[in-house]
């Protein structure tokens, strides 16, 4: 049996990781076998197995994002052996911190031309979460032109706008015509570069700031105190949407805004959306960002960097380094 390297989380209740050898996965009839060239972890993901138990018993391999080369494909797949693909693969299967992974057609997208595997691995979960937030969740399912009508001219506050997801919300919301304000600290420069107004969360009181002009939509990418404070910035009839927790969990008791909609959602891997993102990247309209690149063997340092909560873009593993 052919073996591969795999990074494995000991149990749902332990964040301890071990790099070990396991058998290569065998793709199901509707799945591709992918030679993983790069993969990327998501902030907080070692807590997911405890907080969001996978629906089935599975090996706990981290890194939802993968970029790699197709080794074998189902007969009816648009992807052929040798194609470069990327994806946020489905949570029902192990993640991608391993040499070989499997994925069905509907999770995969063609990698942007000219992009390295490492750069590509930094995109899927962040970009698709932002896409779903703007074009599926907040105002229902919209195509790009409808979304421009809906988001055009809206004033949007994004917390942790310099983070993996935040920087994609900033970019896509701006492309859709929204006026975007983002919070950041040491990474304020990233938000400014992406064309948004930036607030330093270390020195800005959001309640006082919002006294000047409230926003139509709060997009929260960090939860906790940031989300609680952000409630003060939303207009009556506005929306507070978080990718971290249900906004009502931290709504200030004295908040008196009327008819404010609140929303939390968990993204789903949809390859077609990632294809749209591929096109935007190829047009030069959007980009991902890599904070640092690690060999799989340096997983402890890589996850320590991720856990600081202050990375400048995504942490990526290059499986060809060791
Ligand atoms: N619901 C879903 O489907 C979904 C999908 C993807 C991710 N998530 C979750 O969303 C969260 C964010 O993920 P991510 O990948 O975007 O995280 P990330 O890239 O690790 O976020 C790091 C960024 O957060 C900023 N930051 C830290 N503390 C802040 C604060 N108090 N206020 C404002 N900004 C702050 C940092 O900027 P400074 O260095 O400037 O402080 C840094 O740029 C995670 O909990 C993740 O699990 C949920």
């Amino acid at each position: 049996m052919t073996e591969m390297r795999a990074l494995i989380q000991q149990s749902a209740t332990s964040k301890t990781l071990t790099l070990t050898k396991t058998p290569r996965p065998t793709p199901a009839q509707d799945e591709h076998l992918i030679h993983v060239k790069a993969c990327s972890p998501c902030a907080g993901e070692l807590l997911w197995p405890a907080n969001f138990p996978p629906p089935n018993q599975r090996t706990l391999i981290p890194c939802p994002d993968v970029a790699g080369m197709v080794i074998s494909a189902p007969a009816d797949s648009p992807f052929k052996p040798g194609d470069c693909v990327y994806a946020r693969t489905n949570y029902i299967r192990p993640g991608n911190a391993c040499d070989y992974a499997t994925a069905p057609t509907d999770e995969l997208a063609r990698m942007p031309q000219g992009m390295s595997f490492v750069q590509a691995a930094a995109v899927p979960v962040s970009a698709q979460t932002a896409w779903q937030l703007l074009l599926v969740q907040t105002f229902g399912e919209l195509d790009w032109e409808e979304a421009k009508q809906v988001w055009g001219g809206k004033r949007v506050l994004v917390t942790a706008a310099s983070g993996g997801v935040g920087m994609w919300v900033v970019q896509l919301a701006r492309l859709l015509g929204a006026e975007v304000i983002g919070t950041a600290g040491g990474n304020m420069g990233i938000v400014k570069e992406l064309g948004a107004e930036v607030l330093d969360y270390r020195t800005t009181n959001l309640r006082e700031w919002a006294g000047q002009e409230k926003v139509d939509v709060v997009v929260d990418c960090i939860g906790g105190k940031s989300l609680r404070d952000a409630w003060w910035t939303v207009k009556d009839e506005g929306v507070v949407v978080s990718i971290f927790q249900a906004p009502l969990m931290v709504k200030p008791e004295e908040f008196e805004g009327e008819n404010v909609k609140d929303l939390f959602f968990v993204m789903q891997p949809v390859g077609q959306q990632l294809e749209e993102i591929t096109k935007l990247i190829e047009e030069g309209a959007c980009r991902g960002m890599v904070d640092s690149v690690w060999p799989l063997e340096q997983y402890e340092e890589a996850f320590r960097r991720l856990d600081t909560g202050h990375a400048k873009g995504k942490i990526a593993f290059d499986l060809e380094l060791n």
Side-chain angles (χ1 to χ4, degrees):
M1 187 175 298
T2 321
E3 291 197 315
M4 66 169 186
R5 291 173 300 171
L7 191 58
I8 295 184
Q9 182 175 356
Q10 233 167 49
S11 74
T13 51
S14 159
K15 287 173 72 184
T16 305
L17 296 166
T18 319
L19 186 58
T20 185
K21 297 264 182 194
T22 60
R24 272 192 204 182
T26 306
Q29 220 173 14
D30 65 341
E31 288 179 342
H32 304 71
L33 181 66
I34 296 162
H35 187 181
V36 178
K37 301 287 190 177
C39 61
S40 176
C42 185
E45 70 160 293
L46 299 181
L47 298 172
W48 295 349
N51 294 337
F52 307 99
N56 48 339
Q57 182 96 23
R58 65 161 173 83
T59 315
L60 299 176
I61 298 180
C63 295
D65 282 342
V66 63
M69 195 173 279
V70 174
I71 300 291
S72 67
D76 60 353
S77 170
F79 306 107
K80 301 288 167 251
D83 284 354
C84 296
V85 291
Y86 68 150
R88 185 280 191 242
T89 54
N90 199 304
Y91 190 56
I92 59 175
R93 296 191 310 283
N96 302 293
C98 51
D99 288 307
Y100 292 88
T102 63
T105 302
D106 62 7
E107 292 171 20
L108 294 172
R110 181 178 60 83
M111 252 172 61
Q113 295 273 352
M115 203 179 220
S116 70
F117 288 111
V118 160
Q119 288 169 328
V123 171
V125 72
S126 304
Q128 285 180 94
T129 303
W131 182 280
Q132 288 171 24
L133 193 144
L134 295 162
L135 288 110
V136 180
Q137 295 287 342
T138 307
F139 296 112
E141 197 144 354
L142 306 167
D143 65 29
W144 189 259
E145 288 309 313
E146 289 166 340
K148 275 170 130 172
Q149 298 293 319
V150 169
W151 286 94
K154 285 214 165 33
R155 202 167 141 79
V156 180
L157 175 73
V158 184
T159 65
S162 54
V165 179
M167 69 175 75
W168 276 98
V169 176
V170 169
Q171 294 181 86
L172 294 178
R174 288 200 70 247
L175 284 176
L176 292 170
E179 180 194 345
V180 183
I181 306 109
T183 69
N187 283 333
M188 284 170 70
I190 297 174
V191 183
K192 228 178 259 171
E193 263 173 46
L194 297 176
E197 184 187 329
V198 59
L199 301 176
D200 186 338
Y201 65 81
R202 297 165 300 185
T203 54
T204 307
N205 177 320
L206 285 178
R207 190 173 184 176
E208 281 170 15
W209 172 81
Q212 300 155 23
E213 196 182 348
K214 290 196 169 25
V215 301
D216 299 289
V217 182
V218 167
V219 174
D220 168 65
C221 300
I222 188 151
K225 179 180 184 306
S226 298
L227 173 55
R228 188 170 64 246
D229 292 348
W231 268 97
W232 295 112
T233 70
V234 72
K235 285 178 184 165
D236 289 354
E237 321 283 335
V239 186
V240 179
V241 52
S242 174
I243 59 161
F244 182 82
Q245 65 184 144
L248 283 181
M249 288 173 72
V250 291
K251 181 179 167 186
E253 271 175 25
E254 327 86 273
F255 179 77
E256 287 175 346
E258 286 182 9
N259 298 326
V260 174
K261 175 174 146 184
D262 63 279
L263 178 71
F264 164 78
F265 74 99
V266 175
M267 64 82 63
Q268 300 300 318
V270 181
Q272 266 176 359
Q273 294 168 353
L274 196 53
E275 285 287 352
E276 296 302 319
I277 290 155
T278 294
K279 288 182 209 154
L280 291 173
I281 293 172
E282 288 176 338
E283 286 163 13
C286 291
R287 61 187 167 95
M289 194 176 288
V290 177
D291 170 84
S292 50
V293 185
W294 306 82
L296 203 50
E297 286 68 18
Q298 285 183 26
Y299 61 91
E300 283 168 319
E301 292 95 318
F303 272 85
R304 262 201 295 278
R305 173 75 185 150
L306 179 68
D307 284 346
T308 64
H310 298 291
K312 285 186 173 13
K314 295 283 290 182
I315 306 295
F317 288 106
D318 183 340
L319 281 273
E320 308 212 305
L321 295 175
N322 59 21

